[in-house]
Amino acid sequence: MKLNILGCYSATPRTFTNPTSQVLEINNHLFMIDCGEGTQVQLRKHKIKFNRIKHIFISHLHGDHFFGLVGLISTFRLLGREADLHIHAPKGLKEVITLQMKLANSWTNYNLYFHELNSKSSELIFEDDKVEVHTIPLDHRVYTNGFLFKEKAGDRKLDLNAVLNNNIDVAYYRKLKQGFDVINEDGHLIKNETVTLPPNKAKSYAFCSDTAYNEAIIPIIDKVDVLYHESTFLDQHLKLAKPTKHSTAKQAASIAKQANVGQLILGHYSTRYEDLNLFKIEAQTVFDNVLLGDDGKVFEF
Amino acid sequence: MKLNILGCYSATPRTFTNPTSQVLEINNHLFMIDCGEGTQVQLRKHKIKFNRIKHIFISHLHGDHFFGLVGLISTFRLLGREADLHIHAPKGLKEVITLQMKLANSWTNYNLYFHELNSKSSELIFEDDKVEVHTIPLDHRVYTNGFLFKEKAGDRKLDLNAVLNNNIDVAYYRKLKQGFDVINEDGHLIKNETVTLPPNKAKSYAFCSDTAYNEAIIPIIDKVDVLYHESTFLDQHLKLAKPTKHSTAKQAASIAKQANVGQLILGHYSTRYEDLNLFKIEAQTVFDNVLLGDDGKVFEF
């Protein structure tokens, strides 16, 4: 998995800071998460192929998370896109986008599908043979979801030497990868675990922004490899975090600790702070494995 | 007058080119014209004071001319704006903006006025004691207006030596500036032109984008000091200009010549061309005084 942070600052786009957008590369998918103003320029700067993005997940309808979407949809059209595009977003977004296409008399020449969300429980919103995406209901000022991306457990891997030594017909290899015992050319039963190795570990990534401190998400994100959790404020501004339904770095770390996640990436910083390291220092008082998200950073895991 | 070109490329925002937006400084007003995606970042880069913008004029509802507006309106709110904001735009924009504010549950704390346009004739849409703004109906794929900004003729200027020599009471100075003859302290009639000088020349600026070649605008922009006219294409691509209702550099120059304007500024270039000088060279075959618009350029006149 590879996570491209295109923007991770709250509120308004500025000369050197961008509102929220990420592209997660997972099992050959490029999933975009949120799309603040300027995201299409960030995609160009970071040389991410527009056409490989087939699914866009929008957490909520505050401008810093979706004002770049209508322009991206329009640019896809101008670039001659043919591939389908799926938008998973809170109810209301379809109306906003289609109204603007109607006024411009500019409809897409590719298929554009809106999957509008309104459930308050976690739900499976995308699945293929390798990946699942679930919503993570968050607690913000408007209806908001985080997203949990989970690889499915892959096939077992052949231990090629062992397979050859055991004289197994090639036609059984698929069954071996699926975990079955097989009969070899000599008529003997070969136990699966003697000729295969465990699959690569299925990885998982949870995106949680924007949200107040919310323990209800802990069971959903339990033991994810990587958690991106917003930390708009430092603890010194807890009084601002509460009414705006945002989190502090310390709260993000507390969620990470309780959910036993592998790594925590912080982001959605208020631009009032000059030194991002303060976020890391604060979070590490609670949870060790903290990374600072920043525009243009790429995390591989 | 001072014209700040924030963006003057057609279609999509790119790493080093921005969609249309300009800020015209005229008689203490900062008028914004069009507001493509990323305009608020361009304002920051060029250090234009957000709060001094009270009127925004939107030519038409293609994305490259207004997708940055909703974010700018939202940023004004986050910056604690108190001043009124007036948006002059084609009918439909109010619905787009208010729908997004409703979904975000984020209403402005300043007064936001929409002045929706739908007339197909030139009309006066703003006036104070120093400036007038008129629409310039253009010929594009959707309802589109250019905008004509005209200073009003100012007061005559006192020729102070002459005024003193003629023994005129200070209380008459205002009348002199307004062009009246006055009686001096000795009871003589003093002819206005003997003690005053003509006012500064009232300047005018016409913004015409996007439009097909359209001679109907010539009487409206007759003898303006500066004409910004779109030149999306070079003459070699006239076949593209026609169906898309855009102009070539040569056509822009022909309009400038027929309208006897002072200077022509080109812009709204298609990004297919690597060398902007080709636009200038082509236009100058028809009209001499051609300037190339470009992002970040400031023209004073």
Side-chain angles (χ1 to χ4, degrees), chain A residues 11-15 37-41 44-45 61-62 66-68 70-71 75 78 92 95-96 99-100 103-104 142, chain B residues 11-15 37-38 40-41 44-45 61-62 66-68 70-71 74-75 78 92 95-96 99-100 103-104 142:
Chain A
T12 73
R14 289 165 183 262
T15 310
E37 183 175 349
T39 294
Q40 60 176 306
V41 175
R44 286 186 194 274
K45 277 188 190 162
L61 298 185
H62 280 158
F66 85 100
F67 280 168
V70 67
T75 292
L78 292 167
E95 190 184 352
V96 170
L99 175 60
Q100 290 178 86
L103 288 167
V142 293
Chain B
T12 73
R14 290 167 181 260
T15 309
E37 184 175 349
Q40 60 176 305
V41 175
R44 287 185 193 274
K45 277 188 188 160
L61 299 185
H62 280 158
F66 86 100
F67 280 166
V70 65
S74 161
T75 292
L78 291 167
E95 188 184 353
V96 170
L99 175 60
Q100 289 177 87
L103 288 168
V142 293

Side-chain angles (χ1 to χ4, degrees), chain A residues 198-237:
Chain A
N200 287 332
K201 185 180 171 324
K203 296 217 171 121
S204 54
Y205 170 65
F207 169 90
C208 295
S209 185
D210 298 356
T211 187
Y213 176 76
N214 178 19
E215 294 182 357
I217 69 174
I218 294 170
I220 306 173
I221 62 171
D222 185 54
K223 296 191 188 63
V224 294
D225 294 288
V226 181
L227 167 66
Y228 174 91
H229 194 292
E230 73 128 287
S231 56
T232 308
F233 297 105
L234 293 173
D235 189 53
Q236 66 184 101
H237 292 117

Side-chain angles (χ1 to χ4, degrees), chain A residues 6 15 18 21 32 35-48 50 68 71-72 75, chain B residues 12-19 37-38 41 45:
Chain A
L6 301 177
T15 310
N18 294 277
S21 185
M32 173 172 279
C35 188
E37 183 175 349
T39 294
Q40 60 176 306
V41 175
Q42 287 291 91
L43 283 177
R44 286 186 194 274
K45 277 188 190 162
H46 299 295
K47 301 195 189 307
I48 294 170
F50 283 46
L72 184 63
T75 292
Chain B
T12 73
R14 290 167 181 260
T15 309
F16 301 108
T17 63
N18 295 277
E37 184 175 349
V41 175
K45 277 188 188 160

Side-chain angles (χ1 to χ4, degrees), chain A residues 32 34-35 53-59 61 65-66 68-70 72-74 76 81 84-95 97-98 101 108 110-117 125-126 147:
Chain A
M32 173 172 279
D34 282 349
C35 188
I53 297 169
K54 308 260 165 67
H55 290 267
I56 301 179
F57 299 86
I58 301 291
S59 62
L61 298 185
H65 294 256
F66 85 100
L69 183 61
V70 67
L72 184 63
I73 288 170
S74 161
F76 281 157
R81 180 187 181 102
D84 295 352
L85 180 65
H86 296 266
I87 316 271
H88 309 261
K91 192 163 165 45
L93 186 71
K94 179 179 179 178
E95 190 184 352
I97 302 292
T98 51
M101 292 198 287
T108 60
Y110 56 90
N111 293 321
L112 181 58
Y113 297 98
F114 290 93
H115 306 274
E116 293 200 313
L117 306 172
I125 56 172
F126 174 80
F147 301 102

Side-chain angles (χ1 to χ4, degrees), chain B:
Chain B
M1 287 206 289
K2 192 164 138 187
L3 179 68
N4 302 270
I5 309 241
L6 302 177
C8 70
Y9 289 82
S10 68
T12 73
R14 290 167 181 260
T15 309
F16 301 108
T17 63
N18 295 277
T20 302
S21 186
Q22 307 187 347
V23 173
L24 179 71
E25 300 186 39
I26 176 172
N27 272 305
N28 247 351
H29 288 288
L30 257 67
F31 291 131
M32 174 173 278
I33 309 162
D34 283 348
C35 189
E37 184 175 349
T39 294
Q40 60 176 305
V41 175
Q42 287 292 92
L43 283 177
R44 287 185 193 274
K45 277 188 188 160
H46 300 294
K47 302 196 191 305
I48 294 171
K49 293 236 164 64
F50 283 46
N51 249 332
R52 288 195 53 207
I53 297 169
K54 308 261 164 65
H55 290 267
I56 301 179
F57 299 85
I58 301 291
S59 63
H60 65 300
L61 299 185
H62 280 158
D64 54 333
H65 295 256
F66 86 100
F67 280 166
L69 182 61
V70 65
L72 184 63
I73 288 171
S74 161
T75 292
F76 281 157
R77 175 178 58 80
L78 291 167
L79 296 178
R81 181 187 181 102
E82 292 182 355
D84 295 352
L85 180 66
H86 296 265
I87 316 272
H88 308 261
K91 191 162 165 44
L93 186 70
K94 179 179 179 179
E95 188 184 353
V96 170
I97 301 291
T98 50
L99 175 60
Q100 289 177 87
M101 291 198 287
K102 189 178 121 196
L103 288 168
N105 195 23
S106 300
W107 303 94
T108 61
N109 38 10
Y110 56 91
N111 293 321
L112 180 60
Y113 298 97
F114 290 93
H115 306 273
E116 293 201 313
L117 306 172
N118 56 13
S119 170
K120 288 180 178 168
S121 310
S122 176
E123 52 181 353
L124 177 67
I125 56 172
F126 174 81
E127 181 174 24
D128 67 7
D129 56 343
K130 297 202 167 159
V131 183
E132 289 178 357
V133 185
H134 299 256
T135 57
I136 307 169
L138 299 177
D139 177 20
H140 194 43
R141 304 194 303 279
V142 293
Y143 174 71
T144 304
N145 289 295
F147 301 102
L148 171 64
F149 301 84
K150 282 169 73 172
E151 287 182 331
K152 292 183 177 179
D155 286 342
R156 293 187 67 82
K157 294 192 287 186
L158 297 184
D159 178 346
L160 259 187
N161 279 340
V163 168
L164 293 173
N165 291 341
N166 279 282
N167 203 19
I168 301 171
D169 189 321
V170 173
Y172 282 121
Y173 287 8
R174 180 92 201 101
K175 279 235 166 303
L176 284 177
K177 288 184 186 169
Q178 291 168 341
F180 293 100
D181 301 336
V182 298
I183 308 286
N184 74 356
E185 301 276 320
D186 313 317
H188 300 299
L189 180 75
I190 308 295
K191 299 293 281 179
N192 188 286
E193 60 270 27
T194 62
V195 293
T196 67
L197 304 166
N200 288 333
K201 184 180 170 327
K203 296 216 170 124
S204 54
Y205 171 65
F207 169 91
C208 296
S209 185
D210 297 356
T211 187
Y213 175 77
N214 179 19
E215 294 181 357
I217 69 174
I218 293 169
I220 306 173
I221 62 171
D222 185 54
K223 296 190 187 62
V224 294
D225 294 287
V226 182
L227 167 66
Y228 175 91
H229 194 290
E230 74 127 293
S231 56
T232 308
F233 296 105
L234 293 174
D235 189 53
Q236 67 184 102
H237 292 117
L238 183 61
K239 275 194 182 157
L240 291 176
K242 281 190 176 167
T244 58
K245 295 212 168 189
H246 283 300
S247 301
T248 65
K250 200 167 168 181
Q251 289 175 327
S254 171
I255 294 291
K257 185 179 180 186
Q258 294 173 76
N260 293 301
V261 310
Q263 290 185 303
L264 169 65
I265 302 177
L266 297 175
H268 202 264
Y269 315 110
S270 160
T271 50
R272 80 189 59 220
Y273 305 107
E274 292 203 355
D275 182 7
L276 288 191
N277 282 309
L278 298 176
F279 287 86
K280 189 171 179 176
I281 292 165
E282 179 174 306
Q284 284 183 324
T285 62
V286 176
F287 180 81
D288 272 345
N289 205 347
V290 178
L291 300 165
L292 283 176
D294 210 348
D295 300 4
K297 276 192 180 174
V298 179
F299 297 99
E300 298 204 46
F301 40 87

